[in-house]
Amino acid sequence: MKFNTKTIHGGQHHEKVTGSIMPPVFMTSTFAQTSPGKPVGEYGYSRSANPTRNALEDALASIENGTRGLAFASGLAATDSVMKLLKPGDEVIAMDDLYGGSYRMFTQIYQNFGIKFHFVDMTDLKKLESLVNSNTKLVWAETPSNPLMKIADIAEISKISKKHNILFAVDNTFATPYLQKPLDLGADIVMHSATKYLGGHSDVIAGALIVKDKELGKKLHFTQFATGGTLGPMDSFLVLRGIKTLHLRMQRHCENGIKVADFLEAHTLVKRVYYPGLKNHPNHETAKKQMIGGFGGMVSFTFASGKLKDAVLFLENLKVFTLAESLGGVESLANHPTTMAHASLPAEKRADIGITDDMVRLSVGVEDIDDLLQDLEQALSLC
Ligand code: PLP
């Protein structure tokens, strides 16, 4: 089955009793038993499994070419279940530029449990490998990264991880499986904030993990069941509905994304544009190799003036783009990483990796490109 068919049919079955095309929203916490320990059907209690969540999980496994998908209450709940595979003394190598909430979880929660984190620019494979030691148990990459759009070479990192017998997890939120399939490139775990492109309509908070290895799938399901970060049936339905149009939306996100990046790059008030589809992007060749069919809808940029005041003026004056947290919905959003998505990174850490106060991150939606460019132009003209 091709990807554009999998988004609609992958892992899906018509409901047995009525033939319903979409799975019913099984709004139930529990399921009747005929005798102690003998449920009427396959289900016992919704924290362990729920038919609507299972329909979504099968769709997730299908679109990422995995054997098992797991749906969580948020992207961070999904990440949390991966971290619970670790024990005190273990070490993790993570991308230096990653979603602020992931950084916050690693440094403010799991570091307290005796897990050590090394943050590194993963475009430098030698540096990455130099951090490996006998305690290294996990490599955590986000590519494209948030908000600098760095591209980590998934195939090369998976070779290093396999050589040293380390689990390799990829946050595939920005690219989605429409553009990039980390499991096919050798990663062990794919993570999503399904709140973003998978859901696609800014109406749900959700997360996902997908794996190829069945034993790893069982372990992660055990953690999910034992610690309870599962996604509810209504939210599962919404993400499943979103996935059905993922390929259509991503195609337009990519078309609009490159046009916005080109527009900004040609603008005199703009200093630097961060978009992996631009030929001058430092990791453009790696992006071309592993992102098939486009480069997504996320674009960051900085101002020629280098001034925070210009970023603020620009963000206050947008009319079609909305200034808001999050990304990946049909509507265009704008974000100021320093005070919003990456506020939880210490200022010196942000400065270190190049997240400046004049940086703006755009989630380019699927609206008419003329309206988007006009909006950017009018907001820039007021800076
Ligand atoms: N990963 C990335 C790349 C994100 O952008 C986000 C949220 O913005 C997350 C993970 C966390 O996901 P959630 O907000 O669904 O918990």
Side-chain angles (χ1 to χ4, degrees), residues 95-108 111 119 147-148 337-357:
M95 190 93 168
D96 60 353
D97 167 38
L98 80 169
Y99 169 59
S102 307
Y103 180 84
R104 180 177 54 212
M105 180 195 295
F106 296 169
T107 54
Q108 294 186 44
Q111 217 147 259
F119 296 96
L148 296 168
T338 306
T339 53
M340 297 167 74
H342 291 74
S344 54
L345 256 74
E348 62 279 10
K349 167 89 184 154
R350 283 197 303 264
D352 222 30
I353 60 175
I355 302 175
T356 52
D357 286 352

Side-chain angles (χ1 to χ4, degrees), residues 74-76 99 142 146 171 173-174 191 193 195-196 205-206 327:
S74 68
L76 285 182
Y99 169 59
E142 194 179 297
N146 183 359
D171 182 335
T173 299
F174 274 29
M191 175 266 161
S193 169
T195 312
K196 313 295 180 338
I205 297 280
L327 59 106

Side-chain angles (χ1 to χ4, degrees), residues 1-261:
M1 213 186 262
K2 296 262 175 63
F3 182 80
N4 294 349
T5 310
K6 281 185 173 183
T7 55
I8 299 162
H9 298 291
Q12 302 307 295
H13 312 279
H14 300 158
E15 195 265 325
K16 285 182 202 137
V17 179
T18 63
S20 163
I21 298 285
M22 282 298 280
V25 183
F26 282 92
M27 281 291 198
T28 186
S29 57
T30 192
F31 300 83
Q33 308 195 5
T34 51
S35 174
K38 287 202 178 132
V40 171
E42 315 157 34
Y43 293 92
Y45 186 59
S46 279
R47 174 157 39 74
S48 170
N50 172 284
T52 317
R53 189 167 84 239
N54 283 171
L56 166 62
E57 292 177 333
D58 291 345
L60 291 166
S62 171
I63 59 174
E64 284 283 6
N65 291 345
T67 61
R68 181 148 202 181
L70 294 164
F72 290 83
S74 68
L76 285 182
T79 302
D80 184 63
S81 270
V82 177
M83 292 302 136
K84 285 176 179 143
L85 295 173
L86 305 174
K87 54 182 189 337
D90 287 349
E91 296 189 16
V92 178
I93 303 173
M95 190 93 168
D96 60 353
D97 167 38
L98 80 169
Y99 169 59
S102 307
Y103 180 84
R104 180 177 54 212
M105 180 195 295
F106 296 169
T107 54
Q108 294 186 44
I109 306 283
Y110 282 99
Q111 217 147 259
N112 296 339
F113 286 88
I115 294 165
K116 188 168 174 185
F117 292 85
H118 303 271
F119 296 96
V120 65
D121 178 353
M122 286 197 183
T123 62
D124 186 342
L125 296 169
K126 280 206 182 97
K127 219 177 195 173
L128 190 164
E129 194 164 10
S130 74
L131 292 169
V132 173
N133 63 50
S134 58
N135 293 326
T136 313
K137 294 291 157 30
L138 176 71
V139 172
W140 184 273
E142 194 179 297
T143 180
S145 67
N146 183 359
L148 296 168
M149 313 297 157
K150 286 189 201 169
I151 305 295
D153 189 324
I154 299 173
E156 290 304 315
I157 297 174
S158 70
K159 276 185 208 157
I160 296 171
S161 303
K162 280 188 175 43
K163 184 167 120 193
H164 298 282
N165 202 20
I166 304 165
L167 275 180
F168 177 30
V170 175
D171 182 335
N172 204 25
T173 299
F174 274 29
T176 83
Y178 175 79
L179 296 174
Q180 154 179 300
K181 297 192 184 58
L183 297 180
D184 288 353
L185 297 169
D188 300 296
I189 301 172
V190 168
M191 175 266 161
H192 278 277
S193 169
T195 312
K196 313 295 180 338
Y197 289 104
L198 298 189
H201 295 78
S202 305
D203 53 8
V204 63
I205 297 280
L209 295 178
I210 305 103
V211 296
K212 259 198 169 115
D213 181 82
K214 290 189 175 155
E215 278 310 305
L216 182 57
K218 271 192 201 160
K219 269 193 205 168
L220 287 166
H221 176 255
F222 173 77
T223 305
Q224 184 195 44
F225 163 69
T227 61
T230 51
L231 190 65
M234 187 64 213
D235 290 346
S236 297
F237 180 88
L238 288 173
V239 177
L240 182 63
R241 183 167 71 165
I243 287 174
K244 291 188 185 267
T245 56
L246 177 65
H247 53 303
L248 301 171
R249 290 183 284 106
M250 285 309 292
Q251 188 181 343
R252 181 64 69 84
H253 283 298
C254 292
E255 286 166 12
N256 285 355
I258 186 80
K259 286 180 185 154
V260 165

